[in-house]
Amino acid sequence: MKSSEASILVVDDEREITELITLYLEREGYSVHTTDEGTEALRMAESLVPDLIVLDVQLGQMDGIEVCRSLRQGNCADVPILFLSCRSEDQDIIRGLSEGGDDYITKPFSPSQLVARVQAHIRRRRTRERINEEQPFTLAFPGLEIDFRSLEVRLEGELVGLSAKEFELLCVLARQPNRVFPLEELYRLVWQTDSMGDTRTLMVHVSNLRKKMEIDPARPRWIHTVRGFGYRFSPTNGGDDPSSNPN
């Protein structure tokens, strides 16, 4: 997909930030639309259905978390959302990603880093669509079914409501059962860019995925942590091995 074919919605109430992001994204050929207000962002997103949304957490009357929550209920349910925030505390990151965000960049940030993240998310979305078309319709394990066409996951026949990024993460793990993925490799496979040493986004998504899929997230059946290394997907109903823990 050429950059010129992709549209980006930038939502930030700091004019200097908006102008800087617009400058760098337009240099790459993206069509950039901007607003500094949450309700206007919802209207524009509904009309444009952009390929990606850059969303500041701290807006005016309607903050970015509320905007994200509303976007996920409309026709932008699977559009990548990249949060911007001056807050770097883990709880803020967890909140943003738990409400449907795909990625998180703290201010001040490198414009080239933001462009790289945007490119990676758009590339990953197109790659996911192509791979899902080429793969078998479903992956099936005892008690679990992953449908690549409908983007649905069912546990014991019950539909599990996953975000687009949670679905991608599960697919990467489940396509190679019992393989242990190092954190950096798993981050690159799902986000299509380097973590630059910060894998908290990945760990939050794994935690959210466990909360939705596991009866007891503290004793996971499906997604296991291999201490000091990474994560693996286990299709069997065995317990954690001694080298694993759920964190």
Side-chain angles (χ1 to χ4, degrees):
M1 178 179 188
K2 296 180 180 179
S3 296
S4 59
E5 298 173 359
S7 62
I8 312 294
L9 175 60
V10 178
V11 188
D12 198 304
D13 59 4
E14 295 184 65
R15 178 176 295 180
E16 294 82 2
I17 296 292
T18 300
E19 291 177 349
L20 182 64
I21 294 173
T22 299
L23 174 65
Y24 274 79
L25 290 178
E26 287 185 342
R27 281 180 181 176
E28 298 298 321
Y30 293 107
S31 174
V32 182
H33 308 266
T34 67
T35 181
D36 61 1
E37 203 270 325
T39 54
E40 177 67 8
L42 293 177
R43 187 196 65 77
M44 292 176 68
E46 189 73 16
S47 174
L48 293 168
V49 191
D51 294 280
L52 182 138
I53 299 170
V54 178
L55 179 60
D56 186 30
V57 171
Q58 294 178 294
L59 297 173
Q61 293 181 342
M62 187 179 195
D63 69 18
I65 301 295
E66 294 178 88
V67 173
C68 179
R69 191 182 300 123
S70 296
L71 287 169
R72 290 313 189 208
Q73 298 172 358
N75 60 3
C76 290
D78 64 346
V79 173
I81 295 177
L82 194 162
F83 274 119
L84 293 178
S85 178
C86 58
R87 298 177 177 176
S88 60
E89 290 82 2
D90 285 349
Q91 288 303 314
D92 295 308
I93 295 173
I94 290 170
R95 182 173 175 236
L97 299 179
S98 297
E99 292 293 345
D102 295 282
D103 207 347
Y104 199 106
I105 293 181
T106 56
K107 300 176 181 178
F109 58 88
S110 162
S112 58
Q113 179 189 5
L114 183 139
V115 170
R117 295 285 183 93
V118 167
Q119 291 172 331
H121 280 288
I122 291 178
R123 182 170 61 247
R124 178 61 185 170
R125 190 182 185 197
R126 298 309 176 198
T127 301
R128 182 192 70 203
E129 292 172 354
R130 176 180 55 78
I131 290 175
N132 288 346
E133 289 176 357
E134 296 172 354
Q135 292 287 331
F137 289 171
T138 62
L139 275 178
F141 305 97
L144 174 66
E145 184 177 280
I146 304 170
D147 191 316
F148 297 109
R149 291 299 175 89
S150 65
L151 306 182
E152 291 182 343
V153 174
R154 292 185 181 274
L155 268 173
E156 306 298 343
E158 296 294 324
L159 186 65
V160 181
L162 300 183
S163 71
K165 194 60 66 179
E166 290 163 357
F167 184 86
E168 287 183 48
L169 176 59
L170 177 61
C171 287
V172 169
L173 291 166
R175 283 188 173 117
Q176 298 186 64
N178 295 315
R179 180 193 166 188
V180 180
F181 288 86
L183 294 178
E184 288 290 343
E185 180 185 0
L186 187 55
Y187 190 97
R188 285 195 300 270
L189 288 170
V190 177
W191 279 267
Q192 292 289 295
T193 187
D194 290 333
S195 72
M196 301 186 183
D198 187 353
T199 55
R200 288 179 296 176
T201 296
L202 169 62
M203 291 186 284
V204 170
H205 279 287
V206 170
S207 176
N208 291 338
L209 191 54
R210 280 181 173 147
K211 289 175 183 176
K212 294 178 179 181
M213 291 187 61
E214 306 287 359
I215 296 175
D216 181 2
R219 297 180 59 83
R221 169 184 176 182
W222 301 103
I223 301 171
H224 301 262
T225 302
V226 180
R227 193 189 303 264
F229 198 77
Y231 298 104
R232 66 176 170 83
F233 171 84
S234 175
T236 61
N237 197 14
D240 282 331
D241 61 41
S243 63
S244 302
N245 67 43
N247 300 312

